[in-house]
Amino acid sequence: MDLCFTASTSSNKLFRNEGDLNFRDVTIEASGTGEERWSNGVAIVDINNDGWKDM
């Protein structure tokens, strides 16, 4: 699973799991989640019913 961190006083961060406990910061390149705004959680659901969890 990938890691997503939300924050209230700094930017949100998204890290892609590359296996073997290696994670790559893909905050800006893949998701655009790096905006500095109030965040207090992430919703995870399979919105398109493809078997993968979506944020």
Side-chain angles (χ1 to χ4, degrees), residues 13-16 18 24-34:
K13 293 288 185 178
L14 179 63
F15 294 89
R16 175 159 299 157
E18 296 186 333
R24 183 169 50 100
D25 185 348
V26 294
T27 302
I28 300 298
E29 92 181 40
S31 67
T33 56

Side-chain angles (χ1 to χ4, degrees), residues 10 12 15 27 30 38 46 48 52:
S10 63
N12 299 323
F15 294 89
T27 302
W38 185 274
D46 183 8
N48 58 357
W52 293 91

Side-chain angles (χ1 to χ4, degrees), residues 32-47:
T33 56
E35 298 177 5
E36 289 190 31
R37 64 169 73 173
W38 185 274
S39 299
N40 60 6
V42 176
I44 299 176
V45 64
D46 183 8
I47 195 95

